[in-house]
Amino acid sequence: MNRISVMKPWLGTAETDAVAEVIASGWVAQGPRTVAFEEAFAAHQQVDFAVATSSCTTALQLALLVAGVKAGDDVVVPSFSFVATANAPTYVGARPVFADVEELTGNVTAQTVRAVLTEKTTALIVVDQGGMPLDLQPLRALCDELGLVLIEDAACGAGSTYRGAPVGAGADVSAWSFHPRKLLTTGEGGMLTTNNMQWAKRARQLREHSMDVSAAERHNSTLAPAESYKEVGYNFRMTDLQAALGLVQLDKLDTMVARRRFLASRYQQAFANVPGLRCVTDPEYGTSNFQSFWIELGPQFGVDREGLLERLAEDGISARRGIMASHLQPAYAGHSGIVSPLPVTEHLTANTLILPLYHQLEEHEQDRVITSVLSNVLAATGGE
Ligand SMILES: *Cc1c(COP(=O)(O)O)cnc(C)c1O
């Protein structure tokens, strides 16, 4: 019996060929493929500018810098997220302040954000958790009313939609991840997107040591122009090896999303009407790419989260505990940004788990997962 993983990237010979071509070209660092990937990604996500980075974490840091978030500012973030969301404000000397989430989507709302605003709040980082689109419009209205910057951590969100358009396009600046745990992968890598030309320009420079002439531009000129460094920058570049991979993966994104949505609907059908078991589902205002397919267990289910994880492991199935709560990590113990209780976050992180879902998952394999999840229910009703 083969082991079923929780996630696998979908890579093939097209990716191998694309990377081999970059190697043969002799230009492996940030160059023409990175530019091509940026343009293709911006077009796909319906934004004006895309700036490729080494990761989503570095894209978030650049997003805060170009938006003018500075030392001493407060930035509202969900605790219910991968810890990089909370870490990003710290990198620029700001303080992450934790907002709770709603139970249905696992995302922040205008109400949960409003509850933790302080005098020093200058920005929010909102997340499309596990690919589940957040309800942006009320948050957009809140930010416009109070003059706050709206940053979207769309790390998991490529291929998800909000009111008929790709997620991320409605924020002031968004950050994306191409880690293999997400749908579209470049091994490691990220992207910053924005419609603000000045911000895009500054992000490009900060990414490359704040050089005012890029390495590619210097390479393409015979007499290399002298460059200058206006501020302290970073090396947050993506390589052309990664960008070549990204271009192939971007072409496959819509196919990947369709397959994942099909598999998600099979889980939803199999688990409908099971007492104490709730599946993540699309909200009325958008569609998820189901980057993470999570279920929430209640007392009526009969087995708790840890028990079900054990059973799945015994059956050769990798599942994962649900999304983490950053404020419960040792790194944030006693942190001053925990300004109010976060009951929904704590409930979800303790009672949810993520089931296997990836492009190549076959239906008979998924049926094994379903049977394992439901084995106590099936036993109790005398089934099988
Ligand atoms: C994966 C993830 C990140 C980090 O992405 P990297 O590309 O690994 O830096 C940040 N935020 C969220 C919500 C994520 O899921």
Side-chain angles (χ1 to χ4, degrees):
M1 193 174 64
N2 68 320
R3 230 190 131 65
I4 299 177
S5 3
V6 73
M7 175 66 171
K8 272 186 198 169
W10 183 34
L11 300 165
T13 52
E15 282 85 348
T16 313
D17 293 348
V19 174
E21 225 175 82
V22 175
I23 294 169
S25 81
W27 187 283
V28 290
Q30 181 183 289
R33 263 98 179 166
T34 304
V35 174
F37 182 39
E38 289 173 340
E39 285 171 359
F41 192 78
H44 190 274
Q45 297 308 124
Q46 298 175 23
V47 288
D48 292 343
F49 307 101
V51 180
T53 56
S54 51
S55 69
C56 179
T57 305
T58 55
L60 283 171
Q61 187 175 344
L62 289 182
L64 290 159
L65 288 169
V66 299
V69 174
K70 55 189 191 312
D73 288 2
D74 281 347
V75 178
V76 177
V77 300
S79 164
F80 190 66
S81 184
F82 183 63
V83 72
T85 312
N87 290 345
T90 311
Y91 301 149
V92 301
R95 177 177 76 151
V97 174
F98 295 108
D100 210 359
V101 291
E102 60 172 3
E103 190 166 357
L104 207 61
T105 61
N107 289 326
V108 296
T109 65
Q111 286 78 4
T112 67
V113 167
R114 231 178 238 285
V116 298
L117 291 174
T118 69
E119 297 269 281
K120 293 182 173 172
T121 306
T122 56
L124 326 177
I125 303 179
V126 298
V127 179
D128 302 289
Q129 194 48 257
M132 182 56 54
L134 77 132
D135 193 2
L136 197 80
Q137 273 168 14
L139 288 153
R140 178 78 269 174
L142 177 72
C143 287
D144 292 346
E145 175 196 329
L146 301 175
L148 306 175
V149 177
L150 182 54
I151 300 172
E152 193 165 335
D153 177 347
C156 309
S160 299
T161 67
Y162 179 65
R163 301 201 183 278
V167 299
D172 295 311
V173 52
S174 296
W176 309 81
S177 174
F178 306 130
H179 183 273
R181 183 67 185 82
K182 325 296 181 185
L183 272 70
L184 187 173
T185 188
T186 60
E188 292 279 359
M191 194 76 84
L192 174 152
T193 58
T194 181
N195 292 326
N196 184 316
M197 188 167 56
Q198 290 310 320
W199 289 9
K201 188 177 171 204
R202 179 144 179 255
R204 261 180 233 297
Q205 292 190 346
L206 282 168
R207 160 185 75 173
E208 197 170 11
H209 307 288
S210 291
M211 257 190 272
D212 66 350
V213 184
S214 73
E217 279 172 302
R218 280 185 298 143
H219 178 80
N220 290 330
S221 59
T222 326
L223 178 64
E227 76 274 13
S228 74
Y229 302 83
K230 282 184 284 191
E231 58 182 321
V232 176
Y234 305 86
N235 178 357
F236 288 165
R237 285 178 297 221
M238 175 180 278
T239 68
D240 265 22
L241 294 164
Q242 293 163 299
L245 202 54
L247 279 163
V248 177
Q249 288 269 296
L250 184 60
D251 272 343
K252 294 160 74 166
L253 179 60
D254 295 346
T255 310
M256 278 192 251
V257 172
R259 173 75 185 159
R260 294 180 81 90
R261 288 185 57 78
F262 168 71
L263 292 170
S265 73
R266 288 189 88 241
Y267 275 140
Q268 287 161 342
Q269 275 161 32
F271 300 148
N273 310 316
V274 175
L277 197 169
R278 178 173 78 91
C279 292
V280 65
T281 49
D282 285 337
E284 38 87 24
Y285 53 75
T287 59
S288 178
N289 62 6
F290 293 106
Q291 182 267 343
S292 286
F293 187 89
W294 51 267
I295 56 174
E296 179 185 349
L297 302 181
Q300 281 178 301
F301 186 65
V303 180
D304 68 5
R305 196 265 305 272
E306 298 304 312
L308 183 54
L309 277 171
E310 258 170 55
R311 182 202 295 162
L312 287 163
E314 277 164 20
D315 290 343
I317 297 159
S318 289
R320 290 282 178 274
R321 288 181 183 81
I323 312 299
M324 66 186 294
S326 301
H327 77 283
L328 298 179
Q329 294 303 309
Y332 286 97
H335 192 273
S336 68
I338 307 169
V339 297
S340 78
L342 302 163
V344 181
T345 298
E346 290 180 9
H347 172 79
L348 284 178
T349 201
N351 295 288
T352 55
L353 74 161
I354 297 170
L355 294 179
L357 187 66
Y358 49 89
H359 189 83
Q360 309 93 309
L361 181 70
E362 290 179 29
E363 280 141 80
H364 70 87
E365 293 174 312
Q366 189 185 26
D367 290 342
R368 250 178 69 198
V369 180
I370 292 167
T371 304
S372 182
V373 170
L374 295 181
S375 54
N376 60 307
V377 181
L378 296 172
T381 57
E384 308 190 328

